[in-house]
Amino acid sequence: MKQQHTLAETVDAIGIGVHTGERSRVSIRPAPANFGIQFVRDDFPNTFIRASAAHVSDTTLSTTIRYNDIEISTIEHLMSALWGLEVDNAIVHVTGEEVPIMDGSAEGFVNLIMMHGVKECDGIRKFLKINRDITVTQGDAVAALRPFNGFKVGYTFVKYHHVFNRYPKHVELDFSVDSYIDDVCKARSFGLASELDEARSVNRCLGSSMENAIGIDDKGVMNPEGLRYKDEFVKHKVLDVIGDLYLLGMPLLAEFEGYMSGHALNNKLVRAVLRTPEAWTIVDSEGNEIIDEENAIFRPHHSRAD
């Protein structure tokens, strides 16, 4: 039976916020069993915000959590990395209002955590098992969860631009055989150079550069090194999906299918899950149902940690 995990020791990283353009430090620290993933800004040291769909306040080009006037943005890549390394419990201190973007993927966080290691906690690892289909839509976009014995992601990326048409737009990954570290975590954020000014006009992408994103112009990929995967664009969407789904507070046993979905629709799906408790059960790694009212999924946390 699998145990919960936390970090073996504190991991620190410094970088630029992709939207604020401001330099910030993130410190990811060990936490006890059943603590979940909680964020705290160093300028508000007594307020811990659980990484929960209930706390998501903005999904414009990233995922932001908020309690009262305290916001922490662009948490999805770090959340994705924590899922990929099976980290259930951590305290994430951020010096500013945005988690640093690193190189635009989750690889920097993955490498740092792997360098320092993870360790078991004195608690059983819990999984949210989907027992019936849950689907949400937004225009033509669709995000769905279906019963599956494991975790599988299928995603179709739609962007009507001739450069994107050169690359695969669909990917399907079954994480019982596919590797998050090898196949997903290196996929970077991306964007059209022609859309950058518009994003900056609404105070987004102020720190974006080809050091932390893939730039695309009318000729093709602008980054001299090219792509890390032939299907890097759609795989980055999978990376985001994983980070957004981890806001359920535990890993899923389910199949996700996304068509054009982004942070807003991913969050809508997670909220739909929380509204339909009859559609899922909480189980251990051997499939035994767990009845635990203290679980993170039931109690969004926004005060000093226990």
Side-chain angles (χ1 to χ4, degrees):
M1 189 176 296
K2 287 188 175 182
Q3 297 294 109
Q4 294 178 33
H5 292 90
T6 188
L7 281 73
E9 56 187 72
T10 296
V11 172
D12 294 313
I14 299 175
I16 297 296
V18 68
H19 295 304
T20 62
E22 296 179 0
R23 194 170 180 84
S24 66
R25 176 193 293 270
V26 62
S27 178
I28 313 163
R29 306 178 185 180
N34 299 314
F35 186 85
I37 311 299
Q38 298 190 34
F39 286 75
V40 57
R41 272 175 47 175
D42 287 349
D43 49 348
F44 296 95
N46 294 328
T47 300
F48 286 63
I49 309 174
R50 185 179 295 281
S52 163
H55 287 144
V56 172
S57 59
D58 192 1
T59 52
T60 307
L61 299 180
S62 68
T63 296
T64 299
I65 53 174
R66 179 187 182 105
Y67 177 66
N68 288 340
D69 294 329
I70 305 169
E71 279 193 337
I72 301 175
S73 64
T74 318
I75 68 168
E76 62 273 11
H77 296 175
L78 175 54
M79 291 297 296
S80 187
L82 294 172
W83 177 91
L85 296 176
E86 298 188 353
V87 175
D88 304 278
N89 307 292
I91 305 171
V92 182
H93 283 256
V94 187
T95 57
E97 62 186 58
E98 186 175 16
V99 174
I101 194 62
M102 310 298 281
D103 70 349
S105 75
E107 184 181 29
F109 295 124
V110 166
N111 288 343
L112 284 168
I113 294 170
M114 289 180 65
M115 185 184 306
H116 293 271
V118 299
K119 65 180 182 181
E120 288 188 348
C121 298
D122 187 20
I124 296 169
R125 193 158 206 241
K126 302 162 189 172
F127 299 80
L128 192 145
K129 180 182 178 182
I130 296 294
N131 298 320
R132 75 178 199 200
D133 292 6
I134 302 174
T135 302
V136 296
T137 61
Q138 184 174 304
D140 293 333
V142 180
L145 287 169
R146 305 184 184 97
F148 184 73
N149 187 26
F151 183 63
K152 184 177 182 180
V153 175
Y155 191 92
T156 301
F157 168 62
V158 179
K159 184 75 172 180
Y160 300 107
H161 188 278
H162 64 276
V163 172
F164 290 120
N165 292 340
R166 302 173 191 169
Y167 301 97
K169 291 189 175 183
H170 179 78
V171 69
E172 189 171 285
L173 296 163
D174 180 343
F175 288 97
S176 67
V177 293
D178 295 303
S179 166
Y180 175 84
I181 294 172
D182 294 336
D183 300 324
V184 176
C185 85
K186 301 177 182 68
R188 294 162 292 176
S189 301
F190 58 89
L192 294 170
S194 60
E195 296 177 350
L196 187 57
D197 286 345
E198 180 181 353
R200 287 176 171 169
S201 72
V202 292
N203 292 320
R204 294 287 172 174
C205 300
L206 299 178
S208 181
S209 72
M210 283 191 288
E211 293 182 357
N212 55 43
I214 305 166
I216 299 110
D217 62 13
D218 286 339
K219 296 179 181 178
V221 173
M222 299 168 65
N223 303 60
E225 72 277 13
L227 298 181
R228 296 175 176 175
Y229 311 104
K230 183 175 177 61
D231 52 0
E232 187 167 2
F233 300 130
V234 67
K235 280 187 172 175
H236 184 78
K237 291 293 189 179
V238 170
L239 187 155
D240 281 345
V241 163
I242 289 170
D244 287 339
L245 291 180
Y246 206 25
L247 292 171
L248 279 166
M250 67 190 73
L252 276 163
L253 295 176
E255 176 182 358
F256 172 89
E257 185 66 34
Y259 176 82
M260 295 177 61
S261 68
H263 297 300
L265 195 58
N266 296 341
N267 184 250
K268 184 177 179 180
L269 177 62
V270 172
R271 288 175 183 260
V273 171
L274 296 178
R275 289 196 306 270
T276 54
E278 67 277 10
W280 46 266
T281 50
I282 296 173
V283 300
D284 63 23
S285 59
E286 297 180 359
N288 303 306
E289 186 172 353
I290 298 172
I291 306 299
D292 183 2
E293 295 182 357
E294 293 301 311
N295 201 283
I297 197 170
F298 298 114
R299 51 183 185 94
H301 194 68
H302 43 69
S303 61
R304 179 181 288 278
D306 297 334

